[in-house]
Amino acid sequence: MASITNPFQSSIQTSSRFSSLYLSPNRATACHLVLKTRSLTTKATRLAFSPLSESRGPPTPVELSGKALRFSGWSQLLRRRGSVEFPVVAAAAADADGYAKPSKSFSEKFPVLVTGFFFFMWYFLNVIFNILNKKVYNYFPYPYFVSVVHLLVGVVYCLVSWAIGLPKRAPINKELLALLTPVAFCHALGHVMSNVSFAAVAVSFTHTIKALEPFFNAAASQFILGHQIPLSLWLSLAPVVFGVSMASLTELSFNWTGFISAMISNIAFTYRSIYSKKAMTGMDSTNVYAYISIIALLVCIPPAIIIEGPQLMQYGFKDAIAKVGLYKFLSDLFWIGMFYHLYNQIATNTLERVAPLTHAVGNVLKRVFVIGFSIIVFGNRISTQTGIGTVIAIAGVAMYSLIKANIEEEKRKAAATPTS
C-alpha cells in the first residue's frame, strides 16, 4: 500500500496482475496516478491520457483484493475515457494507409459563389450581346448575314476548343446526326427570325414578344405531344398574352416585320424544345451545342446569300465601313458572335448547376435585365401602356415558370420514391 499526497494525490490499487499505465493530469498540482492490471499474455500496453477534475478530498483507501479495480465515483468516467485519439497520429496513419481524404476544390468549398458567378456571367454576356447587336444593326441592317456571323464565330470557337482538347470532341454517327439535324434547323430558324426582329424594332419590344414563348411551349405539349397541361399553367399564361397584346398596341417602334419575326422565333424555339427531347443522347451539353451550331451555320448560309448577298456586295459593306471604319466593323462582328456563343454556353452550364425552379426564376430576371438595360442604353421612349403591358407579361412568365418548375419537381420526387 502506498499513498502519495504531496505533490500528487492518488490511490494505487494493486492485484495479481500488472496493467497499462493511465496518467490523468489535470493540473500540475494535483492528479491521479492509476495502475491497472492486464494479463501477462498481453504483448503491448497502452498509454492514454484522460483529464480528470481536481479532487482535494482525502485519498481513497487501497483495497488489497482480487476484485476488479474500482474507483469510487470515477469507474464510469474511466470506462468512457479509457483512451484518447491523437488527431495528428491518426491522420499520419490514414495517409500512410492511403485513406486520407483529398482536398476539396474551390467549387466544392464555395458552391454558392461559383453558382453566383455563373448567373452574373450569364446576365452580363446576354445584356452586352443584345446592346452591341442592336448597335450593329443601327449602321448595318442585315440580320441574315449577322446571324451567320454569330454562328460562324461560335463554330470557330468550338473547333479551336476541340483542337486543344477542351473539351474532347465526342464522336458522332449517322444516327446522332439524324437526331440533331431537326434541332439545329429549328435553332437556325429561331435565331435568324430573332435577329430580323431585333433589326426591325426596339430590343425591349422583341423581348416582350418573346415572353410568349412559354405559351407556345404549353400549346405544343398539349396538342402535339399529347401531354396534359394543368389548368393552373394555362391560367398563369393569361396575363402573358394580355400583357404582350397591351404592350404591342402602343409600342412606338411597332411594325409587322418585327412582330411576326419574333412570333416565328417563338414557334421555332418551341419545336426545337420538342425535337431536343426526342434527341436526348449521352453526349455532354457542350459537344451537343457545338454540333448544333455547325449544322445551323450550314442552314443559315444559303438564305443569307440569296436574300442579302446582292445588297451586301453592292453597297452594304461599303456603307458600313464608311460609317464606322473597317477595324470597328470587323471587331463589332467578331465580338457579337463571341458574346452570343458564350452566353448560350454559360446558360447551359448554369442550368446544370441549379434546380429547375432556380433556373426558371433566373431566366425571367434575365429578360427583365435585358429590357431595362436596352431602354436605358438606347433611350427608347415607351408609352405608359407599353410599360404596364411589359410588366404584366413578365409577371405572367414568372408565375408560369414557378408553377411549371414546382410540377416538374413533384414529378421528379414521385419518380424517385420507391413504390411499396
Side-chain angles (χ1 to χ4, degrees), residues 223-237:
F223 302 112
I224 297 178
L225 297 180
H227 298 163
Q228 188 63 34
I229 303 299
L231 179 62
S232 58
L233 277 181
W234 285 114
L235 292 177
S236 68
L237 289 171

PDB file of all heavy atoms in Angstrom, residues 223-237:
ATOM      1  N   PHE A 223     -51.136  19.829 -77.571  1.00  0.00           N
ATOM      2  CA  PHE A 223     -51.805  19.427 -78.803  1.00  0.00           C
ATOM      3  C   PHE A 223     -50.925  18.640 -79.773  1.00  0.00           C
ATOM      4  O   PHE A 223     -51.434  18.017 -80.701  1.00  0.00           O
ATOM      5  CB  PHE A 223     -52.348  20.682 -79.515  1.00  0.00           C
ATOM      6  CG  PHE A 223     -53.303  21.473 -78.673  1.00  0.00           C
ATOM      7  CD1 PHE A 223     -52.956  22.729 -78.201  1.00  0.00           C
ATOM      8  CD2 PHE A 223     -54.540  20.965 -78.329  1.00  0.00           C
ATOM      9  CE1 PHE A 223     -53.828  23.474 -77.413  1.00  0.00           C
ATOM     10  CE2 PHE A 223     -55.426  21.702 -77.544  1.00  0.00           C
ATOM     11  CZ  PHE A 223     -55.065  22.958 -77.089  1.00  0.00           C
ATOM     12  N   ILE A 224     -49.601  18.682 -79.568  1.00  0.00           N
ATOM     13  CA  ILE A 224     -48.707  17.939 -80.457  1.00  0.00           C
ATOM     14  C   ILE A 224     -48.157  16.698 -79.756  1.00  0.00           C
ATOM     15  O   ILE A 224     -48.225  15.583 -80.290  1.00  0.00           O
ATOM     16  CB  ILE A 224     -47.551  18.827 -80.947  1.00  0.00           C
ATOM     17  CG1 ILE A 224     -48.099  20.001 -81.780  1.00  0.00           C
ATOM     18  CG2 ILE A 224     -46.566  18.017 -81.779  1.00  0.00           C
ATOM     19  CD1 ILE A 224     -47.041  20.959 -82.277  1.00  0.00           C
ATOM     20  N   LEU A 225     -47.646  16.884 -78.556  1.00  0.00           N
ATOM     21  CA  LEU A 225     -47.076  15.757 -77.812  1.00  0.00           C
ATOM     22  C   LEU A 225     -48.128  14.984 -77.040  1.00  0.00           C
ATOM     23  O   LEU A 225     -47.874  13.864 -76.593  1.00  0.00           O
ATOM     24  CB  LEU A 225     -45.988  16.247 -76.851  1.00  0.00           C
ATOM     25  CG  LEU A 225     -44.760  16.901 -77.497  1.00  0.00           C
ATOM     26  CD1 LEU A 225     -43.778  17.344 -76.424  1.00  0.00           C
ATOM     27  CD2 LEU A 225     -44.091  15.959 -78.488  1.00  0.00           C
ATOM     28  N   GLY A 226     -49.306  15.595 -76.844  1.00  0.00           N
ATOM     29  CA  GLY A 226     -50.366  14.898 -76.127  1.00  0.00           C
ATOM     30  C   GLY A 226     -50.219  14.919 -74.622  1.00  0.00           C
ATOM     31  O   GLY A 226     -50.878  14.136 -73.922  1.00  0.00           O
ATOM     32  N   HIS A 227     -49.388  15.812 -74.082  1.00  0.00           N
ATOM     33  CA  HIS A 227     -49.224  15.921 -72.634  1.00  0.00           C
ATOM     34  C   HIS A 227     -50.354  16.764 -72.045  1.00  0.00           C
ATOM     35  O   HIS A 227     -50.730  17.785 -72.621  1.00  0.00           O
ATOM     36  CB  HIS A 227     -47.875  16.546 -72.289  1.00  0.00           C
ATOM     37  CG  HIS A 227     -46.717  15.730 -72.754  1.00  0.00           C
ATOM     38  ND1 HIS A 227     -45.437  16.235 -72.859  1.00  0.00           N
ATOM     39  CD2 HIS A 227     -46.629  14.440 -73.151  1.00  0.00           C
ATOM     40  CE1 HIS A 227     -44.610  15.297 -73.295  1.00  0.00           C
ATOM     41  NE2 HIS A 227     -45.320  14.204 -73.485  1.00  0.00           N
ATOM     42  N   GLN A 228     -50.869  16.343 -70.913  1.00  0.00           N
ATOM     43  CA  GLN A 228     -51.937  17.088 -70.257  1.00  0.00           C
ATOM     44  C   GLN A 228     -51.347  18.255 -69.471  1.00  0.00           C
ATOM     45  O   GLN A 228     -50.551  18.056 -68.551  1.00  0.00           O
ATOM     46  CB  GLN A 228     -52.719  16.166 -69.315  1.00  0.00           C
ATOM     47  CG  GLN A 228     -53.965  16.802 -68.738  1.00  0.00           C
ATOM     48  CD  GLN A 228     -54.994  17.165 -69.818  1.00  0.00           C
ATOM     49  OE1 GLN A 228     -55.114  16.467 -70.822  1.00  0.00           O
ATOM     50  NE2 GLN A 228     -55.722  18.257 -69.610  1.00  0.00           N
ATOM     51  N   ILE A 229     -51.717  19.464 -69.837  1.00  0.00           N
ATOM     52  CA  ILE A 229     -51.230  20.666 -69.162  1.00  0.00           C
ATOM     53  C   ILE A 229     -52.217  21.046 -68.075  1.00  0.00           C
ATOM     54  O   ILE A 229     -53.412  21.212 -68.343  1.00  0.00           O
ATOM     55  CB  ILE A 229     -51.051  21.828 -70.158  1.00  0.00           C
ATOM     56  CG1 ILE A 229     -50.095  21.441 -71.281  1.00  0.00           C
ATOM     57  CG2 ILE A 229     -50.550  23.075 -69.437  1.00  0.00           C
ATOM     58  CD1 ILE A 229     -48.703  21.100 -70.822  1.00  0.00           C
ATOM     59  N   PRO A 230     -51.749  21.197 -66.813  1.00  0.00           N
ATOM     60  CA  PRO A 230     -52.665  21.561 -65.725  1.00  0.00           C
ATOM     61  C   PRO A 230     -53.328  22.920 -65.970  1.00  0.00           C
ATOM     62  O   PRO A 230     -52.771  23.803 -66.640  1.00  0.00           O
ATOM     63  CB  PRO A 230     -51.751  21.607 -64.493  1.00  0.00           C
ATOM     64  CG  PRO A 230     -50.565  20.773 -64.852  1.00  0.00           C
ATOM     65  CD  PRO A 230     -50.384  20.949 -66.334  1.00  0.00           C
ATOM     66  N   LEU A 231     -54.518  23.067 -65.415  1.00  0.00           N
ATOM     67  CA  LEU A 231     -55.264  24.313 -65.574  1.00  0.00           C
ATOM     68  C   LEU A 231     -54.504  25.496 -64.994  1.00  0.00           C
ATOM     69  O   LEU A 231     -54.570  26.613 -65.528  1.00  0.00           O
ATOM     70  CB  LEU A 231     -56.633  24.183 -64.895  1.00  0.00           C
ATOM     71  CG  LEU A 231     -57.546  25.422 -64.954  1.00  0.00           C
ATOM     72  CD1 LEU A 231     -57.875  25.765 -66.407  1.00  0.00           C
ATOM     73  CD2 LEU A 231     -58.828  25.178 -64.153  1.00  0.00           C
ATOM     74  N   SER A 232     -53.769  25.267 -63.903  1.00  0.00           N
ATOM     75  CA  SER A 232     -53.021  26.360 -63.279  1.00  0.00           C
ATOM     76  C   SER A 232     -51.986  26.956 -64.227  1.00  0.00           C
ATOM     77  O   SER A 232     -51.754  28.172 -64.213  1.00  0.00           O
ATOM     78  CB  SER A 232     -52.326  25.855 -62.008  1.00  0.00           C
ATOM     79  OG  SER A 232     -51.460  24.768 -62.298  1.00  0.00           O
ATOM     80  N   LEU A 233     -51.381  26.122 -65.080  1.00  0.00           N
ATOM     81  CA  LEU A 233     -50.412  26.626 -66.053  1.00  0.00           C
ATOM     82  C   LEU A 233     -51.095  27.482 -67.112  1.00  0.00           C
ATOM     83  O   LEU A 233     -50.587  28.544 -67.493  1.00  0.00           O
ATOM     84  CB  LEU A 233     -49.669  25.466 -66.713  1.00  0.00           C
ATOM     85  CG  LEU A 233     -48.469  24.887 -65.951  1.00  0.00           C
ATOM     86  CD1 LEU A 233     -47.830  23.761 -66.746  1.00  0.00           C
ATOM     87  CD2 LEU A 233     -47.440  25.961 -65.668  1.00  0.00           C
ATOM     88  N   TRP A 234     -52.243  27.030 -67.587  1.00  0.00           N
ATOM     89  CA  TRP A 234     -52.957  27.825 -68.597  1.00  0.00           C
ATOM     90  C   TRP A 234     -53.392  29.173 -68.005  1.00  0.00           C
ATOM     91  O   TRP A 234     -53.312  30.206 -68.685  1.00  0.00           O
ATOM     92  CB  TRP A 234     -54.174  27.059 -69.100  1.00  0.00           C
ATOM     93  CG  TRP A 234     -53.857  25.936 -70.042  1.00  0.00           C
ATOM     94  CD1 TRP A 234     -54.041  24.606 -69.840  1.00  0.00           C
ATOM     95  CD2 TRP A 234     -53.285  26.055 -71.342  1.00  0.00           C
ATOM     96  NE1 TRP A 234     -53.620  23.879 -70.932  1.00  0.00           N
ATOM     97  CE2 TRP A 234     -53.153  24.746 -71.876  1.00  0.00           C
ATOM     98  CE3 TRP A 234     -52.859  27.128 -72.126  1.00  0.00           C
ATOM     99  CZ2 TRP A 234     -52.622  24.495 -73.142  1.00  0.00           C
ATOM    100  CZ3 TRP A 234     -52.328  26.886 -73.389  1.00  0.00           C
ATOM    101  CH2 TRP A 234     -52.218  25.587 -73.882  1.00  0.00           C
ATOM    102  N   LEU A 235     -53.851  29.152 -66.767  1.00  0.00           N
ATOM    103  CA  LEU A 235     -54.287  30.406 -66.145  1.00  0.00           C
ATOM    104  C   LEU A 235     -53.116  31.372 -65.956  1.00  0.00           C
ATOM    105  O   LEU A 235     -53.284  32.589 -66.094  1.00  0.00           O
ATOM    106  CB  LEU A 235     -54.946  30.117 -64.791  1.00  0.00           C
ATOM    107  CG  LEU A 235     -56.285  29.370 -64.838  1.00  0.00           C
ATOM    108  CD1 LEU A 235     -56.791  29.088 -63.428  1.00  0.00           C
ATOM    109  CD2 LEU A 235     -57.318  30.167 -65.635  1.00  0.00           C
ATOM    110  N   SER A 236     -51.930  30.832 -65.666  1.00  0.00           N
ATOM    111  CA  SER A 236     -50.765  31.707 -65.482  1.00  0.00           C
ATOM    112  C   SER A 236     -50.330  32.342 -66.796  1.00  0.00           C
ATOM    113  O   SER A 236     -49.633  33.370 -66.792  1.00  0.00           O
ATOM    114  CB  SER A 236     -49.611  30.913 -64.874  1.00  0.00           C
ATOM    115  OG  SER A 236     -49.123  29.946 -65.787  1.00  0.00           O
ATOM    116  N   LEU A 237     -50.702  31.738 -67.925  1.00  0.00           N
ATOM    117  CA  LEU A 237     -50.324  32.279 -69.233  1.00  0.00           C
ATOM    118  C   LEU A 237     -51.259  33.396 -69.695  1.00  0.00           C
ATOM    119  O   LEU A 237     -50.925  34.143 -70.616  1.00  0.00           O
ATOM    120  CB  LEU A 237     -50.314  31.166 -70.279  1.00  0.00           C
ATOM    121  CG  LEU A 237     -49.169  30.158 -70.147  1.00  0.00           C
ATOM    122  CD1 LEU A 237     -49.386  28.982 -71.107  1.00  0.00           C
ATOM    123  CD2 LEU A 237     -47.833  30.819 -70.423  1.00  0.00           C
TER     124      LEU A 237
END
